[in-house]
Amino acid sequence: MAETENLITVKDLTKTYQTGSVEVFALKAISLTINKGEFVAIMGASGSGKSTFMNIVGCLDNPTNGEYLMEGKDVLTRDKDELAELRNSKLGFVFQSFNLLPRTSAQENVELPLLYNNKVEASVRKQKAIEALTSVGLADRLGAMPNELSGGQQQRVAIARALVNAPLIIMADEPTGNLDSKTSYEIMGIFQKLNDEGITVVMVTHEPDIAQFAKSNIVFKDGKIIANHAVKDRKIAMEELKKIANLTDENSTT
Amino acid sequence: MKFFNLFRIAYRSLNRNKLRSFLTMLGIIIGVASVIAMLAIGEGSNQTIQKSIASLGTNSIYIFPGTNANGGVRGGAGSNQTLKLEDADAIAAHCDLVKYVTPLVQRKSQIIFGAKNWNTMIIGIRNDYMLIRSLSITKGSGFSEADQRSAAKVCLVGVTVIFNLFGDENYNPIGQIIRINSIPVKIVGVLAKMGQNTFGQDQDDIVLAPFYTVQKRMMISTDHIGSILASGKSELQVVDAVDQITSLLREKHKIAPSDDIDFTVRTQSELSNIFGSITKVMTILLASIAGISLLVGGIGIMNIMLVSVTERTREIGIRMAIGAKGKDVLFQFVIESILISVVGGIIGIVVGVLAAEMVATFGGWPVVITPLSIILSFGFSSAIGLFFGWYPARKAAALNPIDALRYE
Ligand SMILES: Nc1ncnc2c1ncn2[C@@H]1O[C@H](COP(=O)(O)OP(=O)(O)OP(=O)(O)O)[C@@H](O)[C@H]1O
Ligand SMILES: [Mg+2]
């Protein structure tokens, strides 16, 4: 069954930073398997190595040691160009700080991964970008520049950009870190919808209630995984948003 | 990677950073335009000087009073009055390598016709002058020997003088009486149009009269002459003719072999060398000014490119994070640089050519635009633009995406 297929397997993943004479052990032999269709939330104190882990799994950084397989195939032996292709077609990365190209419209930002993808014809590029933006609820802001968008809207553009090449997995490092709780729930709604469509989601968050939207939680401490468990009483974003709407309705009627 | 996609990416990036693109371009425009304009001015004067010197006749020999180590190139070294009419006659009589000789006297004079008057140069000549300088007459005729002997009150005029006295260059003034220093003089001929000389001087602003007419009727002192113009029998014998003239005049002026001579003899080619070296100096001067502007433009390009490195490194990080390969990023930056260089270079060429033409039109200065200046300036500034677009990009593209994203 597709649900139990191994998508990502890391073994003894180690990352050491050398700052001057001091060695920082950001990851200490992490081993973990993430299956297809998973929705994982990674928690942990600041400096526990969450971002380091995400960047390595997202192929933005190299580990010092260890093994990394994606769909059973070795990732770390690939050269830079192959990794770029991997990032382009199989991975979508969402950053806390959005990382949109400035002075570039939402649509052009979303078109960018398609421009770097040889398999996408010019004729469908625009349509795909519009579809992606529509799926994050921004159909009416195609031409908006990042500085004309709210933080939540910018993060949606970033998500549209991450999913426009139909990736296997979306990696999101504190995607709601800069957003209020209602906007955060909306973003979780998008992630849950994408996850329902079969995309694997790995997300870092500091907020326990946000982690409740995932299917399982992993907790990092000092570069190690100290807990990995399924989420009980998983929250569904649509329902939470409805509750908020009812609350504000009640407030306004009283 | 599809090339057209890279082109689109590069174009969008330039369009997105209009000010930066424009400032980079400005560096190239200034560099290219100034080099082209400067070198056009230098080359223009060089060529016209060479041309007008060559047009004076390659056999010509100039004898000036006084000595000047660097060559008495000015038409009569002012206070030095050492040449006499008999020197010219002696050259004509004794120097067998000399074909034609004429003494020259000249002065600026006011000439009047009716209510109009004009200030111009009156030159007293023998008829050989016309042959040495290959002057021709379009209307009327030259001076007869009788005119020469009798100091007849006749003259030949250039078209500029006709224009200023009669209001029309094509007016036929033959037979009209003009007054030069209050002396009535009849116009007997019109000189063929010569145009401007090396220094933008109008060579048609001239009146020629028989030698005695000027010397006896118009000059205050009649003892001395301004200069002597001669020509050698052939181009090859010019140097020997100069030796003949020098030893003859040395003898006539009773100068001991150990003493310095009190006159200067120059050939056409010596003069052209002197002028040639003057224009060379000028061209070098202009070229160095142009080189400095090119350098300043280049530094401007570097500055803007390097200042934007942080921003661009982040941009490169974002692009790589979403799947751009190192070479995609490099190509994008190279295409951007080429676009800027080519567009800026073309604008620079246009501006440079226009500036040169403006100097030519409003400054009356001859300009010649050389392909070398275009290639040189264009090549240099686009090389700088290319390098400083490519080099930081190469460094950024070699980083891990995450390091590029975090670059400060
Ligand atoms: N480029 C770097 N150079 C040196 N040390 C680094 C670097 N990046 C991270 N570290 C160190 O590695 C450790 C793990 O950092 P990481 O960014 O993974 O933490 P994190 O769990 O994401 O924290 P936060 O919740 O604050 O984002 C920290 O001690 C950090 O100081
Ligand atoms: Mg982090």
Side-chain angles (χ1 to χ4, degrees):
Chain A
M1 245 189 83
E3 288 290 300
T4 55
E5 211 176 302
N6 281 0
L7 182 59
I8 282 170
T9 309
V10 295
K11 218 185 246 171
D12 298 332
L13 206 61
T14 306
K15 180 75 181 180
T16 317
Y17 289 110
Q18 188 78 43
T19 43
S21 56
V22 188
E23 278 196 331
V24 180
F25 299 96
L27 293 180
K28 299 171 186 162
I30 298 266
S31 295
L32 178 69
T33 302
I34 298 173
N35 293 328
K36 232 174 209 166
E38 274 273 20
F39 187 160
V40 184
I42 298 176
M43 313 261 301
S46 187
S48 57
K50 306 180 295 293
S51 293
T52 308
F53 174 78
M54 292 291 277
N55 293 337
I56 291 170
V57 174
C59 298
L60 300 173
D61 203 357
N62 303 316
T64 313
N65 255 312
E67 265 176 51
Y68 174 10
L69 307 178
M70 184 184 287
E71 296 183 296
K73 281 174 254 160
D74 198 354
V75 171
L76 299 178
T77 54
R78 304 188 193 188
D79 67 20
K80 283 191 155 199
D81 284 359
E82 288 169 326
L83 289 177
E85 269 171 36
L86 202 65
R87 288 194 296 271
N88 184 255
S89 56
K90 304 217 164 152
L91 289 160
F93 213 103
V94 178
F95 300 89
Q96 178 178 359
S97 54
F98 318 136
N99 274 333
L100 298 176
L101 281 191
R103 300 183 291 282
T104 304
S105 73
Q107 187 191 322
E108 286 187 5
N109 260 297
V110 177
E111 278 182 17
L112 218 50
L114 301 172
L115 280 167
Y116 290 112
N117 186 344
N118 275 341
K119 294 182 195 88
V120 177
E121 292 301 321
S123 51
V124 298
R125 193 162 53 221
K126 191 177 169 190
Q127 187 204 335
K128 282 196 172 212
I130 294 173
E131 272 171 22
L133 281 165
T134 309
S135 74
V136 296
L138 280 178
D140 53 341
R141 301 304 306 271
L142 301 177
M145 300 292 161
N147 61 357
E148 298 163 358
L149 294 170
S150 72
Q153 289 169 326
Q154 288 184 58
Q155 195 59 296
R156 287 167 196 231
V157 175
I159 294 168
R161 184 179 66 184
L163 61 85
V164 73
N165 260 330
L168 293 174
I169 178 164
I170 284 186
M171 314 280 306
D173 192 352
E174 300 188 41
T176 60
N178 290 341
L179 306 175
D180 69 14
S181 59
K182 179 171 173 276
T183 319
S184 301
Y185 289 1
E186 287 168 359
I187 299 291
M188 287 307 109
I190 295 169
F191 280 172
Q192 287 187 335
K193 187 182 81 179
L194 293 171
N195 185 240
D196 290 343
E197 290 165 7
I199 296 176
T200 308
V201 180
V202 181
M203 164 182 87
V204 170
T205 182
H206 277 286
E207 297 145 89
D209 66 319
I210 293 296
Q212 288 298 104
F213 289 93
K215 288 177 179 164
S216 66
N217 287 358
I218 293 175
V219 182
F220 272 60
K221 192 183 179 205
D222 297 334
K224 285 184 189 146
I225 295 174
I226 54 163
N228 185 351
H229 53 79
V231 174
K232 279 173 268 167
D233 307 323
R234 186 185 183 211
K235 286 186 184 172
I236 302 302
M238 295 301 285
E239 291 166 11
E240 298 300 317
L241 285 167
K242 250 180 229 159
K243 277 186 211 163
I244 294 175
N246 290 341
L247 267 177
T248 44
D249 275 359
E250 276 165 29
N251 284 347
S252 56
T253 45
T254 49
Chain B
M1 188 70 205
K2 289 173 197 159
F3 177 77
F4 187 75
N5 282 0
L6 281 177
F7 195 84
R8 175 182 296 262
I9 289 167
Y11 174 76
R12 280 184 182 174
S13 168
L14 289 179
N15 204 30
R16 181 153 48 83
N17 300 292
K18 283 196 187 72
L19 186 63
R20 187 177 69 204
S21 311
F22 171 72
L23 288 176
T24 315
M25 221 179 257
L26 198 62
I28 294 181
I29 292 172
I30 291 172
V32 171
S34 57
V35 168
I36 289 177
M38 297 282 180
L39 291 183
I41 291 167
E43 185 60 24
S45 17
N46 193 17
Q47 282 193 13
T48 29
I49 284 174
Q50 294 299 342
K51 216 187 291 169
S52 63
I53 283 170
S55 76
L56 291 178
T58 46
N59 297 351
S60 308
I61 299 165
Y62 299 83
I63 302 131
F64 306 103
T67 51
N68 183 330
N70 291 323
V73 289
R74 287 170 301 128
S79 56
N80 286 317
Q81 295 200 324
T82 57
L83 290 179
K84 293 185 167 171
L85 181 57
E86 58 202 62
D87 292 333
D89 291 336
I91 291 168
H94 301 297
C95 297
D96 58 355
L97 294 175
V98 172
K99 197 168 177 189
Y100 302 117
V101 184
T102 176
L104 298 174
V105 278
Q106 58 186 51
R107 71 173 290 189
K108 271 263 184 209
S109 299
Q110 199 71 19
I111 55 176
I112 302 168
F113 178 79
K116 298 205 171 163
N117 69 79
W118 183 243
N119 196 282
T120 191
M121 187 66 83
I122 317 293
I123 308 179
I125 57 156
R126 289 260 167 87
N127 289 349
D128 276 5
Y129 183 81
M130 308 297 284
L131 301 167
I132 299 169
R133 297 226 32 210
S134 325
L135 296 181
S136 54
I137 291 162
T138 51
K139 294 182 187 117
S141 60
F143 308 131
S144 67
E145 283 307 316
D147 290 338
Q148 288 286 358
R149 269 196 308 277
S150 62
K153 295 179 202 168
V154 291
C155 68
L156 299 169
V157 290
V159 289
T160 304
V161 176
I162 297 175
F163 176 79
N164 284 292
L165 289 186
F166 303 101
D168 179 9
E169 240 183 53
N170 299 315
Y171 178 80
N172 185 346
I174 307 293
Q176 299 287 359
I177 309 283
I178 56 175
R179 301 179 82 83
I180 305 176
N181 294 340
S182 313
I183 302 161
V185 178
K186 190 164 92 180
I187 297 174
V188 294
V190 175
L191 293 165
K193 190 168 180 159
M194 290 180 282
Q196 291 189 347
N197 77 355
T198 318
F199 307 102
Q201 249 173 8
D202 183 359
Q203 298 186 88
D204 299 311
D205 189 6
I206 194 172
V207 173
L208 299 180
F211 177 75
Y212 284 132
T213 311
V214 178
Q215 195 200 29
K216 291 189 174 149
R217 298 184 194 275
M218 300 176 193
M219 304 300 280
I220 299 154
S221 153
T222 54
D223 282 351
H224 299 279
I225 59 174
S227 59
I228 299 170
L229 181 60
S231 70
K233 280 231 158 70
S234 78
E235 213 177 319
L236 293 174
Q237 288 169 306
V238 169
V239 178
D240 293 334
V242 167
D243 288 344
Q244 266 190 349
I245 292 168
T246 309
S247 55
L248 177 77
L249 292 187
R250 190 184 265 280
E251 201 179 299
K252 274 193 73 71
H253 291 196
K254 301 193 172 61
I255 298 165
S258 56
D259 287 349
D260 287 339
I261 51 174
D262 60 357
F263 56 90
T264 306
V265 186
R266 290 267 178 253
T267 65
Q268 181 60 45
S269 62
E270 283 175 311
L271 283 181
S272 105
N273 286 345
I274 290 164
F275 280 114
S277 54
I278 290 171
T279 54
K280 198 168 278 171
V281 168
M282 198 172 80
T283 308
I284 289 171
L285 199 77
L286 290 172
S288 2
I289 295 172
I292 289 167
S293 17
L294 207 56
L295 205 67
V296 170
I299 290 168
I301 299 169
M302 287 180 217
N303 236 333
I304 288 162
M305 292 289 203
L306 291 178
V307 162
S308 64
V309 160
T310 304
E311 198 203 4
R312 302 230 76 178
T313 304
R314 287 237 176 79
E315 178 193 329
I316 289 170
I318 295 173
R319 289 178 186 279
M320 291 201 297
I322 58 168
K325 292 172 188 151
K327 58 175 186 275
D328 295 337
V329 170
L330 268 183
F331 270 128
Q332 175 200 336
F333 277 64
V334 168
I335 292 170
E336 278 183 33
S337 306
I338 289 175
L339 283 177
I340 285 187
S341 301
V342 168
V343 174
I346 289 170
I347 296 175
I349 290 171
V350 171
V351 171
V353 170
L354 283 181
E357 293 300 331
M358 243 147 80
V359 168
T361 318
F362 298 113
W365 195 275
V367 298
V368 173
I369 292 152
T370 54
L372 182 73
S373 67
I374 294 179
I375 294 166
L376 189 85
S377 55
F378 193 97
F380 183 78
S381 43
S382 35
I384 287 186
L386 211 64
F387 181 77
F388 285 94
W390 167 82
Y391 183 70
R394 199 199 63 145
K395 276 175 80 175
L399 295 174
N400 269 336
I402 197 69
D403 294 327
L405 277 169
R406 284 193 187 137
Y407 187 85
E408 268 161 3

